[in-house]
């Protein structure tokens, strides 16, 4: 068996799956202005005998969308102001809103769901990807 041919075959499969996961993540990402979808990238490289595929977004808020915030996120606590008495933001179609605390945003795990949808290999949902 030609080891180089096997390595190329594995690299091709990982590259194809990585590209498919990126496309599925773009389809699953929530859309406001489309920046999150447009920011999703993928890359495949070889590290020693391992072939690694990675899908990511470089936008800072992508992690907040994916993992949730406030009571729904990693901290499990409401969002409260740090240096003011109230939070303030513009709500489209409503105007300026004020609150002492907000519950946060539920997670929308578009990357994990895309991986589970596309991957031909079993996915361990307990691991944080």
């Amino acid at each position: 068996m030609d080891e180089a041919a096997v390595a190329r075959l594995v690299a091709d499969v990982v590259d194809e799956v990585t590209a498919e996961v990126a496309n599925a993540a773009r389809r699953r990402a929530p859309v406001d202005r489309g920046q999150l979808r447009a920011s999703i990238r993928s890359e495949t490289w070889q590290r020693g005998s391992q072939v690694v595929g990675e899908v990511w977004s470089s936008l800072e808020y992508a992690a907040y969308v994916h993992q949730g915030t406030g009571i729904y996120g990693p901290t499990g606590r409401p969002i409260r102001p740090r240096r003011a008495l109230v939070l303030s933001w513009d709500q489209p179609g409503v105007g300026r809103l004020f609150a002492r605390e907000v519950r946060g945003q539920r997670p929308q795990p578009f990357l994990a769901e895309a991986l589970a949808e596309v991957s031909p290999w079993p996915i361990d949902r307990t691991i944080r990807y």
Side-chain angles (χ1 to χ4, degrees):
M1 195 180 261
D2 182 8
E3 287 186 32
V6 171
R8 281 192 304 277
L9 179 64
V10 169
D12 289 346
V13 169
V14 171
D15 191 48
E16 182 180 328
V17 170
T18 301
E20 288 180 27
V21 170
N23 288 333
R26 286 183 195 103
R27 285 192 310 272
R28 291 176 166 277
V31 178
D32 184 8
R33 293 180 305 233
Q35 292 174 320
L36 181 58
R37 280 188 175 175
S39 74
I40 295 172
R41 301 282 184 260
S42 66
E43 186 176 348
T44 307
W45 70 91
Q46 195 155 353
R47 185 186 314 152
S49 63
Q50 290 184 327
V51 180
V52 179
E54 185 176 33
V55 178
W56 76 94
S57 169
S58 59
L59 294 177
E60 181 181 349
Y61 72 84
Y64 300 123
V65 171
H66 192 271
Q67 296 174 340
T69 62
I71 65 171
Y72 308 108
T75 65
R77 295 188 310 260
I79 300 169
R80 295 185 178 104
R82 290 184 182 173
R83 293 182 278 282
L85 295 177
V86 295
L87 299 165
S88 171
W89 68 96
D90 284 321
Q91 182 75 32
V94 177
R96 179 145 302 275
L97 296 175
F98 301 90
R100 292 191 187 278
E101 71 178 32
V102 293
R103 296 171 60 102
Q105 170 180 289
R106 292 183 189 274
Q108 301 177 66
F110 59 96
L111 289 169
E113 290 171 353
L115 179 63
E117 171 190 330
V118 172
S119 176
W121 305 288
I123 304 301
D124 184 352
R125 291 290 206 137
T126 61
I127 297 174
R128 294 182 61 138
Y129 294 97

